[in-house]
Amino acid sequence: MLSKEDQRRFEQITRHLRESDPAFFAKVDNRARAHRGRYLMLLTIVLWAALPAMTVLAGRLAGAICAVVLMANAALMWRYRRRWL
């Protein structure tokens, strides 16, 4: 944890860098979004692969819960979507 003085200095350096090099901050922001998208895609693949097995092994309730989580994941992916080129 940073002390209050260190945190203030860090924010000052960050603000100065953001103003002096906006292209750098755009790249950093895009990388953070890409990681979030990768995690959501990985979660989708794992849930779709596990859905049939969960339904057979744990019953319909587990399958229904997995389906609800998949729908919430789809909503998040739709919310944070970006163009795939």
Side-chain angles (χ1 to χ4, degrees), residues 27-69:
K27 285 182 184 179
V28 170
D29 188 42
N30 286 340
R31 289 185 69 192
R33 287 182 186 168
H35 285 295
R36 179 176 43 224
R38 285 187 199 132
Y39 290 138
L40 288 174
M41 186 59 71
L42 179 63
L43 179 64
T44 302
I45 292 167
V46 169
L47 287 174
W48 274 113
L51 180 61
M54 284 181 68
T55 304
V56 169
L57 296 175
R60 289 185 177 194
L61 179 61
I65 291 170
C66 189
V68 169
V69 171

Side-chain angles (χ1 to χ4, degrees), residues 52-83:
M54 284 181 68
T55 304
V56 169
L57 296 175
R60 289 185 177 194
L61 179 61
I65 291 170
C66 189
V68 169
V69 171
L70 273 167
M71 295 302 264
N73 186 26
L76 280 174
M77 287 182 72
W78 181 261
R79 168 108 167 76
Y80 295 116
R81 71 188 182 277
R82 64 170 206 242
R83 292 186 180 184

